[in-house]
Amino acid sequence: MIENPAHISLKNEQLIIHTDRAYSLPVEDLSALLLENRQSTITTAALSRLGQCGCAVFVCDEKHLPCAVLTPYAQHSRALTAAREQLAATKPLRKRCFRRIF
């Protein structure tokens, strides 16, 4: 979650977040990035790498509420297929799955 003004870029396959100091994160470790501060900037290279690693990027409005999401294109069909299968599951199947989880 990016709460303060920041510049986000990519260097050596790492996400670099510049605020009052620089932070480095492995892109592969992220599943979602929330850009809450509207003064933040992000490079196209960073967005591209986040998408390649399957990371969704959420953008917030002036009320700090998510108003847009950038989802990975290459993984879109798999996620949609999984969501459809979950929605189509019968109630007995959902109960059996829930029991196996717990």
Side-chain angles (χ1 to χ4, degrees), residues 51-62:
Q52 290 170 341
C53 291
C55 181
V57 179
F58 295 86
V59 181
C60 292
D61 62 14
E62 65 278 354

Side-chain angles (χ1 to χ4, degrees), residues 7-77:
H7 175 71
I8 303 162
S9 60
L10 190 69
K11 182 177 182 182
N12 299 327
E13 300 301 314
Q14 297 277 314
L15 198 65
I16 308 297
I17 302 170
H18 294 277
T19 56
D20 52 341
R21 56 177 258 200
Y23 301 91
S24 177
L25 298 168
V27 180
E28 301 84 26
D29 291 349
L30 300 173
S31 61
L33 177 66
L34 177 66
L35 301 174
E36 185 182 18
N37 191 289
R38 292 178 37 142
Q39 295 176 338
S40 296
T41 60
I42 187 166
T43 65
T44 304
L47 286 172
S48 175
R49 186 68 184 136
L50 287 163
Q52 290 170 341
C53 291
C55 181
V57 179
F58 295 86
V59 181
C60 292
D61 62 14
E62 65 278 354
K63 296 176 185 172
H64 305 280
L65 298 171
C67 63
V69 62
L70 305 163
T71 58
Y73 182 72
Q75 296 181 359
H76 185 271
S77 63

